[in-house]
Amino acid sequence: MTRIHAFTRSARLVSALAVGAALGLGLAACGSATETATPAAEPSSTAPQGDKTGDETGGKASDKAEKKSDEPQVDTSNSVLPSVQVKDVAGGEVDLAALVPSETPILLWAWAPHCPTCAGEAPAVEAFSMKHADSVTVVGIGTQDDLALAEDFVSTYGVSTPQMLWDPGFESWQALEITGQPTWVLLSPGGEEIGRWQGGLPEGEILDRV
């Protein structure tokens, strides 16, 4: 019996020592993992850079806005052009009042398909309009006959550079106090009348005023 108890005590002692050793190794392992863990990366102190492309685009848009605001505004308060819907011989309709503001003075040519003087000076009007397009805008306003005759006039005499309009109701001529053809009315870019002539194209006098 004594030997059995001694053996049992020895076995228990060995078992306890084994458990203790295992716990010691486990604690040592946890301590090692804690000590050697890599520290978390510190946040960068450098602020993120803005979108360079966006900044440049914004700057350019701002510059354009400033330039646009610096451009002189055309005063249209004294415009004599009435708000009358007329036909464009080339197609579509035009509100005469919408011709201003303009980048250049506007030369109105009052013409009629049956007018021999208008037909005779049509080539000169075309040449004048092409030559001086940078300094004056020529716009023809026809009436009295019908649109078909107006289309034939434009086609026959090769008038393509001036904008050729047709007023079937005669309203534009009445508003502008045009009593015959050909009549020339020179307007400022804002639509104010600055010259008027009746008869053949007064090229020199027009150029003196533009």
Side-chain angles (χ1 to χ4, degrees), residues 102-113:
S102 172
E103 294 183 358
T104 64
I106 301 169
L107 179 64
L108 301 178
W109 174 35
W111 61 282

Side-chain angles (χ1 to χ4, degrees), residues 17-202:
L17 291 172
V19 170
L23 289 172
L25 289 173
L27 291 172
C30 290
S32 176
T34 302
E35 293 170 0
T36 59
T38 304
E42 295 182 0
S44 172
S45 61
T46 304
Q49 297 296 320
D51 185 346
K52 186 175 181 181
T53 303
D55 292 343
E56 290 178 352
T57 303
K60 290 178 180 178
S62 177
D63 291 343
K64 288 181 179 179
E66 289 179 2
K67 288 181 179 178
K68 187 174 182 180
S69 64
D70 291 339
E71 293 177 357
Q73 300 299 313
V74 177
D75 180 11
T76 61
S77 61
N78 294 321
S79 175
V80 298
L81 285 173
S83 182
V84 174
Q85 291 290 325
V86 297
K87 295 182 180 298
D88 190 322
V89 177
E93 293 191 351
V94 175
D95 184 344
L96 282 182
L99 294 179
V100 296
S102 172
E103 294 183 358
T104 64
I106 301 169
L107 179 64
L108 301 178
W109 174 35
W111 61 282
H114 71 267
C115 168
T117 304
C118 300
E121 68 182 1
V125 175
E126 172 68 19
F128 176 86
S129 181
M130 289 184 65
K131 183 178 180 180
H132 303 289
D134 292 336
S135 56
V136 62
T137 300
V138 181
V139 178
I141 303 179
T143 190
Q144 294 189 20
D145 299 309
D146 58 43
L147 180 59
L149 290 176
E151 292 172 340
D152 288 342
F153 180 96
V154 170
S155 175
T156 299
Y157 299 106
V159 185
S160 59
T161 304
Q163 184 176 16
M164 299 296 282
L165 306 178
W166 180 255
D167 180 5
F170 205 71
E171 295 176 78
S172 60
W173 280 28
Q174 289 179 330
L176 292 167
E177 299 180 350
I178 296 171
T179 58
Q181 72 286 328
T183 294
W184 305 88
V185 182
L186 183 63
L187 308 177
S188 70
E192 183 177 2
E193 184 173 329
I194 55 178
R196 179 181 292 242
W197 304 267
Q198 193 162 7
L201 174 65

